[in-house]
Amino acid sequence: MLNQNLPPRVSAPTPVGPVFSAIFPALTIPSRHQPAAIPDRATLDEIFNDTKGTVEWSEEDIVFLHWRLLVEVSCLADPATPLEEKFDTLCWVFSEREKDALPFSFVSCLRVVGCSPLSPIAYCGRVDAEEIRDHIRHSLKAWLNASLERFPDWVSEAIIHNPTWVASRLSRNPQWINEQIKRMSVQGDLFA
């Protein structure tokens, strides 16, 4: 018989260690999902200009999209990933806590991918998003240092001392750093 005096048991979140490697390996997660072939430009134009048609999403497609967003976090460790993409991913991961309940937020993606039977990874249950964020925060310095080694010293200094200024420049023009490097190589540093 059910005892009404006992509170319901709520399971604790899954520990991060095994989950992090399951969710964020370097894009090597095997997927049961078979995405469709990429259509040619004419087909895309026809799809985008069709005002009557609607796109039908299956539940598996939606779960796969949540997973695909989480895979972007793996790109933080890749030094070849453009800085603008890294900044975008970090803004998504460390967004305001009020946004955690929104669809396709970092926390929502962790919940969907961890708990859905349609997930491309093995079931891991509810995951503590703050532990995942702490793991990312702990690794971030090494990841960014590896990325910054590719650039001249002035770029590294600008990013270290004024990251929001650099991020705003990159959001307006993703090629801003490349253009500045090229300009400096042609013109030279006026203040050196």
Side-chain angles (χ1 to χ4, degrees):
M1 176 177 239
L2 182 62
N3 185 346
Q4 299 289 338
N5 295 328
L6 294 176
R9 290 173 53 192
V10 177
S11 62
T14 304
V16 164
V19 173
F20 192 84
S21 61
I23 295 176
F24 303 116
L27 303 174
T28 58
I29 298 173
S31 172
R32 296 184 310 263
H33 188 273
Q34 298 298 320
I38 299 173
D40 60 9
R41 185 68 190 168
T43 307
L44 283 174
D45 287 339
E46 183 180 324
I47 291 170
F48 291 135
N49 292 330
D50 182 14
T51 57
K52 296 180 283 184
T54 59
V55 177
E56 294 294 324
W57 287 76
S58 69
E59 187 175 347
E60 184 176 12
D61 290 336
I62 294 170
V63 171
F64 184 78
L65 182 56
H66 281 84
W67 171 79
R68 184 61 189 94
L69 286 169
L70 287 175
V71 168
E72 290 299 314
V73 175
S74 299
C75 296
L76 291 171
D78 183 3
T81 302
L83 288 174
E84 188 218 0
E85 288 181 27
K86 289 187 179 198
F87 288 149
D88 286 345
T89 302
L90 290 169
C91 287
W92 177 65
V93 169
F94 295 105
S95 64
E96 297 84 17
R97 300 301 176 253
E98 303 86 51
K99 295 181 179 180
D100 285 352
L102 295 175
F104 298 103
S105 68
F106 179 68
V107 173
S108 176
C109 289
L110 286 173
R111 186 184 68 252
V112 169
V113 170
C115 297
S116 174
L118 300 172
S119 178
I121 65 168
Y123 176 83
C124 58
R126 209 177 79 208
V127 178
D128 186 352
E130 287 309 311
E131 285 188 48
I132 297 285
R133 285 177 172 141
D134 287 343
H135 185 76
I136 293 169
R137 195 175 289 116
H138 176 72
S139 303
L140 190 57
K141 183 176 181 180
W143 294 341
L144 287 178
N145 283 338
S147 293
L148 293 177
E149 287 176 1
R150 303 177 315 134
F151 296 104
D153 291 339
W154 68 267
V155 174
S156 302
E157 291 295 318
I159 292 171
I160 290 169
H161 295 296
N162 204 345
T164 53
W165 178 75
V166 173
S168 70
R169 297 283 182 169
L170 288 171
S171 68
R172 280 188 256 144
N173 177 8
Q175 292 299 316
W176 176 75
I177 290 178
N178 295 336
E179 291 169 359
Q180 296 302 313
I181 291 172
K182 184 176 180 180
R183 185 180 60 85
M184 300 257 316
S185 69
V186 171
Q187 183 179 20
D189 188 359
L190 298 175
F191 302 105

